[in-house]
PDB file of all heavy atoms in Angstrom:
ATOM      1  N   ILE E 133    -127.482 -88.687   9.322  1.00  0.00           N
ATOM      2  CA  ILE E 133    -126.486 -88.597   8.241  1.00  0.00           C
ATOM      3  C   ILE E 133    -126.691 -87.268   7.502  1.00  0.00           C
ATOM      4  O   ILE E 133    -127.839 -86.844   7.303  1.00  0.00           O
ATOM      5  CB  ILE E 133    -126.581 -89.811   7.275  1.00  0.00           C
ATOM      6  CG1 ILE E 133    -125.479 -89.775   6.206  1.00  0.00           C
ATOM      7  CG2 ILE E 133    -127.964 -89.903   6.617  1.00  0.00           C
ATOM      8  CD1 ILE E 133    -125.343 -91.078   5.410  1.00  0.00           C
ATOM      9  N   GLY E 134    -125.608 -86.614   7.158  1.00  0.00           N
ATOM     10  CA  GLY E 134    -125.732 -85.380   6.388  1.00  0.00           C
ATOM     11  C   GLY E 134    -125.957 -85.706   4.914  1.00  0.00           C
ATOM     12  O   GLY E 134    -125.667 -86.829   4.467  1.00  0.00           O
ATOM     13  N   THR E 135    -126.448 -84.742   4.148  1.00  0.00           N
ATOM     14  CA  THR E 135    -126.622 -84.995   2.709  1.00  0.00           C
ATOM     15  C   THR E 135    -125.251 -85.236   2.057  1.00  0.00           C
ATOM     16  O   THR E 135    -125.162 -85.812   0.990  1.00  0.00           O
ATOM     17  CB  THR E 135    -127.313 -83.797   2.022  1.00  0.00           C
ATOM     18  OG1 THR E 135    -126.615 -82.608   2.393  1.00  0.00           O
ATOM     19  CG2 THR E 135    -128.766 -83.673   2.450  1.00  0.00           C
ATOM     20  N   ASN E 136    -124.183 -84.811   2.720  1.00  0.00           N
ATOM     21  CA  ASN E 136    -122.834 -85.060   2.200  1.00  0.00           C
ATOM     22  C   ASN E 136    -122.209 -86.315   2.811  1.00  0.00           C
ATOM     23  O   ASN E 136    -121.026 -86.563   2.651  1.00  0.00           O
ATOM     24  CB  ASN E 136    -121.933 -83.842   2.476  1.00  0.00           C
ATOM     25  CG  ASN E 136    -121.792 -83.545   3.966  1.00  0.00           C
ATOM     26  OD1 ASN E 136    -122.251 -84.308   4.815  1.00  0.00           O
ATOM     27  ND2 ASN E 136    -121.146 -82.436   4.284  1.00  0.00           N
ATOM     28  N   GLY E 137    -123.010 -87.090   3.543  1.00  0.00           N
ATOM     29  CA  GLY E 137    -122.516 -88.350   4.111  1.00  0.00           C
ATOM     30  C   GLY E 137    -121.836 -88.196   5.462  1.00  0.00           C
ATOM     31  O   GLY E 137    -121.264 -89.146   5.994  1.00  0.00           O
ATOM     32  N   HIS E 138    -121.902 -87.005   6.056  1.00  0.00           N
ATOM     33  CA  HIS E 138    -121.224 -86.854   7.347  1.00  0.00           C
ATOM     34  C   HIS E 138    -121.946 -87.611   8.453  1.00  0.00           C
ATOM     35  O   HIS E 138    -123.149 -87.838   8.386  1.00  0.00           O
ATOM     36  CB  HIS E 138    -120.995 -85.377   7.711  1.00  0.00           C
ATOM     37  CG  HIS E 138    -122.196 -84.637   8.218  1.00  0.00           C
ATOM     38  ND1 HIS E 138    -122.278 -83.260   8.197  1.00  0.00           N
ATOM     39  CD2 HIS E 138    -123.358 -85.051   8.773  1.00  0.00           C
ATOM     40  CE1 HIS E 138    -123.419 -82.877   8.712  1.00  0.00           C
ATOM     41  NE2 HIS E 138    -124.100 -83.948   9.069  1.00  0.00           N
ATOM     42  N   ILE E 139    -121.189 -88.042   9.447  1.00  0.00           N
ATOM     43  CA  ILE E 139    -121.770 -88.622  10.669  1.00  0.00           C
ATOM     44  C   ILE E 139    -121.204 -87.826  11.841  1.00  0.00           C
ATOM     45  O   ILE E 139    -120.021 -87.518  11.860  1.00  0.00           O
ATOM     46  CB  ILE E 139    -121.506 -90.153  10.812  1.00  0.00           C
ATOM     47  CG1 ILE E 139    -120.043 -90.506  10.523  1.00  0.00           C
ATOM     48  CG2 ILE E 139    -122.464 -90.942   9.951  1.00  0.00           C
ATOM     49  CD1 ILE E 139    -119.718 -91.994  10.712  1.00  0.00           C
ATOM     50  N   GLY E 140    -122.060 -87.514  12.811  1.00  0.00           N
ATOM     51  CA  GLY E 140    -121.671 -86.510  13.792  1.00  0.00           C
ATOM     52  C   GLY E 140    -121.356 -85.271  12.975  1.00  0.00           C
ATOM     53  O   GLY E 140    -122.016 -84.984  11.963  1.00  0.00           O
ATOM     54  N   PHE E 141    -120.303 -84.572  13.344  1.00  0.00           N
ATOM     55  CA  PHE E 141    -119.862 -83.458  12.505  1.00  0.00           C
ATOM     56  C   PHE E 141    -118.570 -83.832  11.789  1.00  0.00           C
ATOM     57  O   PHE E 141    -117.727 -82.987  11.511  1.00  0.00           O
ATOM     58  CB  PHE E 141    -119.681 -82.194  13.340  1.00  0.00           C
ATOM     59  CG  PHE E 141    -120.940 -81.383  13.497  1.00  0.00           C
ATOM     60  CD1 PHE E 141    -121.190 -80.721  14.693  1.00  0.00           C
ATOM     61  CD2 PHE E 141    -121.856 -81.258  12.467  1.00  0.00           C
ATOM     62  CE1 PHE E 141    -122.334 -79.953  14.852  1.00  0.00           C
ATOM     63  CE2 PHE E 141    -123.007 -80.491  12.613  1.00  0.00           C
ATOM     64  CZ  PHE E 141    -123.247 -79.841  13.800  1.00  0.00           C
ATOM     65  N   ASN E 142    -118.412 -85.110  11.531  1.00  0.00           N
ATOM     66  CA  ASN E 142    -117.255 -85.546  10.757  1.00  0.00           C
ATOM     67  C   ASN E 142    -117.584 -85.343   9.283  1.00  0.00           C
ATOM     68  O   ASN E 142    -118.234 -86.174   8.649  1.00  0.00           O
ATOM     69  CB  ASN E 142    -116.944 -87.018  11.043  1.00  0.00           C
ATOM     70  CG  ASN E 142    -116.545 -87.232  12.479  1.00  0.00           C
ATOM     71  OD1 ASN E 142    -115.420 -86.915  12.873  1.00  0.00           O
ATOM     72  ND2 ASN E 142    -117.469 -87.735  13.289  1.00  0.00           N
ATOM     73  N   GLU E 143    -117.136 -84.218   8.787  1.00  0.00           N
ATOM     74  CA  GLU E 143    -117.446 -83.843   7.414  1.00  0.00           C
ATOM     75  C   GLU E 143    -116.551 -84.623   6.447  1.00  0.00           C
ATOM     76  O   GLU E 143    -115.531 -85.207   6.864  1.00  0.00           O
ATOM     77  CB  GLU E 143    -117.198 -82.329   7.241  1.00  0.00           C
ATOM     78  CG  GLU E 143    -118.010 -81.444   8.187  1.00  0.00           C
ATOM     79  CD  GLU E 143    -119.468 -81.281   7.766  1.00  0.00           C
ATOM     80  OE1 GLU E 143    -120.032 -82.176   7.121  1.00  0.00           O
ATOM     81  OE2 GLU E 143    -120.048 -80.224   8.108  1.00  0.00           O
ATOM     82  N   PRO E 144    -116.915 -84.658   5.149  1.00  0.00           N
ATOM     83  CA  PRO E 144    -116.070 -85.341   4.168  1.00  0.00           C
ATOM     84  C   PRO E 144    -114.610 -84.911   4.296  1.00  0.00           C
ATOM     85  O   PRO E 144    -114.333 -83.727   4.508  1.00  0.00           O
ATOM     86  CB  PRO E 144    -116.670 -84.908   2.828  1.00  0.00           C
ATOM     87  CG  PRO E 144    -118.106 -84.663   3.144  1.00  0.00           C
ATOM     88  CD  PRO E 144    -118.124 -84.081   4.529  1.00  0.00           C
ATOM     89  N   SER E 145    -113.737 -85.865   4.187  1.00  0.00           N
ATOM     90  CA  SER E 145    -112.272 -85.751   4.326  1.00  0.00           C
ATOM     91  C   SER E 145    -111.820 -85.926   5.765  1.00  0.00           C
ATOM     92  O   SER E 145    -110.627 -85.927   6.034  1.00  0.00           O
ATOM     93  CB  SER E 145    -111.686 -84.452   3.751  1.00  0.00           C
ATOM     94  OG  SER E 145    -111.806 -83.384   4.694  1.00  0.00           O
ATOM     95  N   SER E 146    -112.773 -86.121   6.697  1.00  0.00           N
ATOM     96  CA  SER E 146    -112.372 -86.440   8.079  1.00  0.00           C
ATOM     97  C   SER E 146    -111.619 -87.761   8.064  1.00  0.00           C
ATOM     98  O   SER E 146    -112.006 -88.690   7.352  1.00  0.00           O
ATOM     99  CB  SER E 146    -113.608 -86.631   8.962  1.00  0.00           C
ATOM    100  OG  SER E 146    -114.255 -85.414   9.188  1.00  0.00           O
ATOM    101  N   SER E 147    -110.590 -87.835   8.885  1.00  0.00           N
ATOM    102  CA  SER E 147    -109.870 -89.109   8.978  1.00  0.00           C
ATOM    103  C   SER E 147    -110.831 -90.196   9.450  1.00  0.00           C
ATOM    104  O   SER E 147    -111.612 -89.997  10.388  1.00  0.00           O
ATOM    105  CB  SER E 147    -108.727 -88.981   9.979  1.00  0.00           C
ATOM    106  OG  SER E 147    -108.405 -90.267  10.471  1.00  0.00           O
ATOM    107  N   LEU E 148    -110.751 -91.340   8.820  1.00  0.00           N
ATOM    108  CA  LEU E 148    -111.659 -92.433   9.182  1.00  0.00           C
ATOM    109  C   LEU E 148    -111.285 -93.053  10.531  1.00  0.00           C
ATOM    110  O   LEU E 148    -111.982 -93.909  11.032  1.00  0.00           O
ATOM    111  CB  LEU E 148    -111.672 -93.493   8.072  1.00  0.00           C
ATOM    112  CG  LEU E 148    -112.249 -93.004   6.732  1.00  0.00           C
ATOM    113  CD1 LEU E 148    -112.187 -94.109   5.670  1.00  0.00           C
ATOM    114  CD2 LEU E 148    -113.686 -92.507   6.888  1.00  0.00           C
ATOM    115  N   SER E 150    -110.393 -90.874  13.117  1.00  0.00           N
ATOM    116  CA  SER E 150    -110.312 -89.687  13.974  1.00  0.00           C
ATOM    117  C   SER E 150    -110.953 -89.911  15.343  1.00  0.00           C
ATOM    118  O   SER E 150    -111.835 -90.757  15.506  1.00  0.00           O
ATOM    119  CB  SER E 150    -110.998 -88.509  13.279  1.00  0.00           C
ATOM    120  OG  SER E 150    -112.292 -88.874  12.844  1.00  0.00           O
ATOM    121  N   ARG E 153    -112.676 -84.237  18.565  1.00  0.00           N
ATOM    122  CA  ARG E 153    -111.809 -83.098  18.237  1.00  0.00           C
ATOM    123  C   ARG E 153    -112.620 -81.932  17.671  1.00  0.00           C
ATOM    124  O   ARG E 153    -113.824 -82.066  17.431  1.00  0.00           O
ATOM    125  CB  ARG E 153    -110.758 -83.512  17.193  1.00  0.00           C
ATOM    126  CG  ARG E 153    -111.412 -83.725  15.828  1.00  0.00           C
ATOM    127  CD  ARG E 153    -110.676 -84.758  15.044  1.00  0.00           C
ATOM    128  NE  ARG E 153    -111.263 -84.973  13.737  1.00  0.00           N
ATOM    129  CZ  ARG E 153    -112.462 -85.499  13.503  1.00  0.00           C
ATOM    130  NH1 ARG E 153    -113.301 -85.800  14.478  1.00  0.00           N
ATOM    131  NH2 ARG E 153    -112.873 -85.692  12.266  1.00  0.00           N
ATOM    132  N   LYS E 155    -113.702 -79.502  14.581  1.00  0.00           N
ATOM    133  CA  LYS E 155    -113.843 -79.584  13.124  1.00  0.00           C
ATOM    134  C   LYS E 155    -114.428 -78.275  12.603  1.00  0.00           C
ATOM    135  O   LYS E 155    -115.124 -77.564  13.325  1.00  0.00           O
ATOM    136  CB  LYS E 155    -114.809 -80.700  12.723  1.00  0.00           C
ATOM    137  CG  LYS E 155    -114.272 -82.103  12.816  1.00  0.00           C
ATOM    138  CD  LYS E 155    -113.122 -82.386  11.875  1.00  0.00           C
ATOM    139  CE  LYS E 155    -113.532 -82.427  10.414  1.00  0.00           C
ATOM    140  NZ  LYS E 155    -112.361 -82.617   9.528  1.00  0.00           N
ATOM    141  N   THR E 156    -114.160 -78.005  11.339  1.00  0.00           N
ATOM    142  CA  THR E 156    -114.793 -76.858  10.669  1.00  0.00           C
ATOM    143  C   THR E 156    -116.022 -77.391   9.944  1.00  0.00           C
ATOM    144  O   THR E 156    -115.939 -78.384   9.215  1.00  0.00           O
ATOM    145  CB  THR E 156    -113.830 -76.254   9.620  1.00  0.00           C
ATOM    146  OG1 THR E 156    -112.594 -75.960  10.283  1.00  0.00           O
ATOM    147  CG2 THR E 156    -114.404 -74.990   9.017  1.00  0.00           C
ATOM    148  N   LEU E 157    -117.141 -76.721  10.140  1.00  0.00           N
ATOM    149  CA  LEU E 157    -118.371 -77.157   9.471  1.00  0.00           C
ATOM    150  C   LEU E 157    -118.332 -76.756   7.998  1.00  0.00           C
ATOM    151  O   LEU E 157    -117.791 -75.704   7.656  1.00  0.00           O
ATOM    152  CB  LEU E 157    -119.577 -76.516  10.150  1.00  0.00           C
ATOM    153  CG  LEU E 157    -119.764 -76.951  11.611  1.00  0.00           C
ATOM    154  CD1 LEU E 157    -120.715 -76.016  12.333  1.00  0.00           C
ATOM    155  CD2 LEU E 157    -120.271 -78.375  11.678  1.00  0.00           C
ATOM    156  N   THR E 158    -118.914 -77.582   7.155  1.00  0.00           N
ATOM    157  CA  THR E 158    -118.976 -77.231   5.724  1.00  0.00           C
ATOM    158  C   THR E 158    -120.094 -76.214   5.497  1.00  0.00           C
ATOM    159  O   THR E 158    -121.025 -76.115   6.306  1.00  0.00           O
ATOM    160  CB  THR E 158    -119.286 -78.468   4.851  1.00  0.00           C
ATOM    161  OG1 THR E 158    -120.531 -78.999   5.283  1.00  0.00           O
ATOM    162  CG2 THR E 158    -118.208 -79.522   4.972  1.00  0.00           C
ATOM    163  N   ARG E 159    -120.029 -75.538   4.380  1.00  0.00           N
ATOM    164  CA  ARG E 159    -121.110 -74.610   4.014  1.00  0.00           C
ATOM    165  C   ARG E 159    -122.435 -75.355   3.955  1.00  0.00           C
ATOM    166  O   ARG E 159    -123.471 -74.838   4.338  1.00  0.00           O
ATOM    167  CB  ARG E 159    -120.836 -74.029   2.629  1.00  0.00           C
ATOM    168  CG  ARG E 159    -119.886 -72.887   2.610  1.00  0.00           C
ATOM    169  CD  ARG E 159    -119.758 -72.413   1.162  1.00  0.00           C
ATOM    170  NE  ARG E 159    -118.441 -71.909   0.872  1.00  0.00           N
ATOM    171  CZ  ARG E 159    -118.049 -70.676   1.141  1.00  0.00           C
ATOM    172  NH1 ARG E 159    -118.850 -69.835   1.692  1.00  0.00           N
ATOM    173  NH2 ARG E 159    -116.827 -70.291   0.863  1.00  0.00           N
ATOM    174  N   GLU E 160    -122.372 -76.590   3.417  1.00  0.00           N
ATOM    175  CA  GLU E 160    -123.583 -77.404   3.256  1.00  0.00           C
ATOM    176  C   GLU E 160    -124.254 -77.639   4.616  1.00  0.00           C
ATOM    177  O   GLU E 160    -125.459 -77.490   4.768  1.00  0.00           O
ATOM    178  CB  GLU E 160    -123.141 -78.728   2.632  1.00  0.00           C
ATOM    179  CG  GLU E 160    -124.221 -79.528   1.981  1.00  0.00           C
ATOM    180  CD  GLU E 160    -123.610 -80.749   1.275  1.00  0.00           C
ATOM    181  OE1 GLU E 160    -122.367 -80.826   1.118  1.00  0.00           O
ATOM    182  OE2 GLU E 160    -124.393 -81.630   0.894  1.00  0.00           O
ATOM    183  N   THR E 161    -123.425 -77.992   5.593  1.00  0.00           N
ATOM    184  CA  THR E 161    -123.962 -78.251   6.927  1.00  0.00           C
ATOM    185  C   THR E 161    -124.483 -76.959   7.555  1.00  0.00           C
ATOM    186  O   THR E 161    -125.535 -76.949   8.184  1.00  0.00           O
ATOM    187  CB  THR E 161    -122.875 -78.891   7.827  1.00  0.00           C
ATOM    188  OG1 THR E 161    -122.428 -80.081   7.185  1.00  0.00           O
ATOM    189  CG2 THR E 161    -123.393 -79.221   9.207  1.00  0.00           C
ATOM    190  N   LEU E 162    -123.723 -75.869   7.349  1.00  0.00           N
ATOM    191  CA  LEU E 162    -124.179 -74.582   7.895  1.00  0.00           C
ATOM    192  C   LEU E 162    -125.542 -74.219   7.318  1.00  0.00           C
ATOM    193  O   LEU E 162    -126.438 -73.784   8.038  1.00  0.00           O
ATOM    194  CB  LEU E 162    -123.175 -73.476   7.561  1.00  0.00           C
ATOM    195  CG  LEU E 162    -121.878 -73.496   8.365  1.00  0.00           C
ATOM    196  CD1 LEU E 162    -120.882 -72.489   7.806  1.00  0.00           C
ATOM    197  CD2 LEU E 162    -122.150 -73.203   9.834  1.00  0.00           C
ATOM    198  N   ALA E 163    -125.697 -74.458   6.016  1.00  0.00           N
ATOM    199  CA  ALA E 163    -126.971 -74.130   5.366  1.00  0.00           C
ATOM    200  C   ALA E 163    -128.087 -75.017   5.916  1.00  0.00           C
ATOM    201  O   ALA E 163    -129.169 -74.529   6.263  1.00  0.00           O
ATOM    202  CB  ALA E 163    -126.841 -74.294   3.872  1.00  0.00           C
ATOM    203  N   ASN E 165    -128.265 -76.591   8.734  1.00  0.00           N
ATOM    204  CA  ASN E 165    -128.572 -76.326  10.136  1.00  0.00           C
ATOM    205  C   ASN E 165    -129.053 -74.905  10.366  1.00  0.00           C
ATOM    206  O   ASN E 165    -129.545 -74.581  11.438  1.00  0.00           O
ATOM    207  CB  ASN E 165    -127.364 -76.632  11.016  1.00  0.00           C
ATOM    208  CG  ASN E 165    -127.103 -78.116  11.089  1.00  0.00           C
ATOM    209  OD1 ASN E 165    -127.659 -78.870  10.305  1.00  0.00           O
ATOM    210  ND2 ASN E 165    -126.281 -78.531  12.013  1.00  0.00           N
ATOM    211  N   ARG E 176    -119.069 -71.643  13.163  1.00  0.00           N
ATOM    212  CA  ARG E 176    -118.368 -72.241  12.022  1.00  0.00           C
ATOM    213  C   ARG E 176    -117.615 -73.500  12.431  1.00  0.00           C
ATOM    214  O   ARG E 176    -117.154 -74.253  11.603  1.00  0.00           O
ATOM    215  CB  ARG E 176    -117.335 -71.251  11.465  1.00  0.00           C
ATOM    216  CG  ARG E 176    -117.915 -69.993  10.907  1.00  0.00           C
ATOM    217  CD  ARG E 176    -118.352 -70.230   9.469  1.00  0.00           C
ATOM    218  NE  ARG E 176    -119.217 -69.147   9.042  1.00  0.00           N
ATOM    219  CZ  ARG E 176    -118.792 -68.094   8.357  1.00  0.00           C
ATOM    220  NH1 ARG E 176    -117.532 -67.998   8.031  1.00  0.00           N
ATOM    221  NH2 ARG E 176    -119.622 -67.159   7.998  1.00  0.00           N
ATOM    222  N   CYS E 178    -116.999 -76.779  15.430  1.00  0.00           N
ATOM    223  CA  CYS E 178    -117.748 -77.664  16.327  1.00  0.00           C
ATOM    224  C   CYS E 178    -116.777 -78.628  16.986  1.00  0.00           C
ATOM    225  O   CYS E 178    -115.611 -78.728  16.592  1.00  0.00           O
ATOM    226  CB  CYS E 178    -118.765 -78.463  15.510  1.00  0.00           C
ATOM    227  SG  CYS E 178    -117.928 -79.463  14.274  1.00  0.00           S
ATOM    228  N   THR E 180    -116.744 -82.763  17.839  1.00  0.00           N
ATOM    229  CA  THR E 180    -117.493 -83.972  17.496  1.00  0.00           C
ATOM    230  C   THR E 180    -116.717 -85.220  17.903  1.00  0.00           C
ATOM    231  O   THR E 180    -115.483 -85.224  17.858  1.00  0.00           O
ATOM    232  CB  THR E 180    -117.809 -84.025  15.981  1.00  0.00           C
ATOM    233  OG1 THR E 180    -118.581 -85.208  15.700  1.00  0.00           O
ATOM    234  CG2 THR E 180    -116.565 -84.043  15.102  1.00  0.00           C
ATOM    235  N   MET E 181    -117.457 -86.237  18.314  1.00  0.00           N
ATOM    236  CA  MET E 181    -116.808 -87.534  18.470  1.00  0.00           C
ATOM    237  C   MET E 181    -116.193 -87.866  17.119  1.00  0.00           C
ATOM    238  O   MET E 181    -116.777 -87.542  16.076  1.00  0.00           O
ATOM    239  CB  MET E 181    -117.841 -88.624  18.782  1.00  0.00           C
ATOM    240  CG  MET E 181    -118.262 -88.729  20.213  1.00  0.00           C
ATOM    241  SD  MET E 181    -119.303 -90.205  20.349  1.00  0.00           S
ATOM    242  CE  MET E 181    -120.328 -89.720  21.722  1.00  0.00           C
ATOM    243  N   ILE E 183    -114.613 -90.369  14.030  1.00  0.00           N
ATOM    244  CA  ILE E 183    -115.122 -91.568  13.348  1.00  0.00           C
ATOM    245  C   ILE E 183    -114.578 -92.818  14.045  1.00  0.00           C
ATOM    246  O   ILE E 183    -115.298 -93.800  14.229  1.00  0.00           O
ATOM    247  CB  ILE E 183    -114.740 -91.538  11.848  1.00  0.00           C
ATOM    248  CG1 ILE E 183    -115.436 -90.332  11.191  1.00  0.00           C
ATOM    249  CG2 ILE E 183    -115.134 -92.837  11.157  1.00  0.00           C
ATOM    250  CD1 ILE E 183    -115.143 -90.159   9.718  1.00  0.00           C
ATOM    251  N   THR E 214    -114.745 -94.562   1.830  1.00  0.00           N
ATOM    252  CA  THR E 214    -113.906 -93.406   1.512  1.00  0.00           C
ATOM    253  C   THR E 214    -114.174 -92.264   2.490  1.00  0.00           C
ATOM    254  O   THR E 214    -115.321 -92.077   2.924  1.00  0.00           O
ATOM    255  CB  THR E 214    -114.179 -92.914   0.066  1.00  0.00           C
ATOM    256  OG1 THR E 214    -113.623 -91.604  -0.095  1.00  0.00           O
ATOM    257  CG2 THR E 214    -115.662 -92.823  -0.255  1.00  0.00           C
ATOM    258  N   ALA E 215    -113.102 -91.523   2.779  1.00  0.00           N
ATOM    259  CA  ALA E 215    -113.258 -90.355   3.663  1.00  0.00           C
ATOM    260  C   ALA E 215    -114.139 -89.295   3.018  1.00  0.00           C
ATOM    261  O   ALA E 215    -114.642 -88.407   3.696  1.00  0.00           O
ATOM    262  CB  ALA E 215    -111.884 -89.770   3.987  1.00  0.00           C
ATOM    263  N   ALA E 216    -114.353 -89.404   1.697  1.00  0.00           N
ATOM    264  CA  ALA E 216    -115.236 -88.451   1.015  1.00  0.00           C
ATOM    265  C   ALA E 216    -116.701 -88.663   1.425  1.00  0.00           C
ATOM    266  O   ALA E 216    -117.522 -87.773   1.263  1.00  0.00           O
ATOM    267  CB  ALA E 216    -115.083 -88.597  -0.494  1.00  0.00           C
ATOM    268  N   VAL E 217    -116.998 -89.865   1.916  1.00  0.00           N
ATOM    269  CA  VAL E 217    -118.345 -90.178   2.413  1.00  0.00           C
ATOM    270  C   VAL E 217    -118.165 -90.839   3.787  1.00  0.00           C
ATOM    271  O   VAL E 217    -118.090 -92.061   3.899  1.00  0.00           O
ATOM    272  CB  VAL E 217    -119.101 -91.152   1.459  1.00  0.00           C
ATOM    273  CG1 VAL E 217    -120.524 -91.381   1.935  1.00  0.00           C
ATOM    274  CG2 VAL E 217    -119.088 -90.642   0.033  1.00  0.00           C
ATOM    275  N   PRO E 218    -118.054 -90.031   4.829  1.00  0.00           N
ATOM    276  CA  PRO E 218    -117.686 -90.595   6.141  1.00  0.00           C
ATOM    277  C   PRO E 218    -118.536 -91.793   6.596  1.00  0.00           C
ATOM    278  O   PRO E 218    -118.012 -92.746   7.175  1.00  0.00           O
ATOM    279  CB  PRO E 218    -117.836 -89.397   7.078  1.00  0.00           C
ATOM    280  CG  PRO E 218    -117.530 -88.225   6.196  1.00  0.00           C
ATOM    281  CD  PRO E 218    -118.120 -88.562   4.856  1.00  0.00           C
ATOM    282  N   ALA E 219    -119.846 -91.775   6.309  1.00  0.00           N
ATOM    283  CA  ALA E 219    -120.688 -92.882   6.781  1.00  0.00           C
ATOM    284  C   ALA E 219    -120.336 -94.212   6.120  1.00  0.00           C
ATOM    285  O   ALA E 219    -120.713 -95.280   6.619  1.00  0.00           O
ATOM    286  CB  ALA E 219    -122.167 -92.563   6.531  1.00  0.00           C
TER     287      ALA E 219
END
Side-chain angles (χ1 to χ4, degrees):
I133 184 168
T135 51
N136 61 7
H138 77 200
I139 46 177
F141 273 144
N142 296 284
E143 302 283 28
S145 83
S146 289
S147 156
L148 295 178
S150 51
R153 71 210 181 293
K155 284 296 290 176
T156 306
L157 296 164
T158 59
R159 278 181 213 277
E160 199 174 348
T161 303
L162 286 172
N165 290 13
R176 296 276 165 96
C178 60
T180 182
M181 278 187 208
I183 296 179
T214 165
V217 184

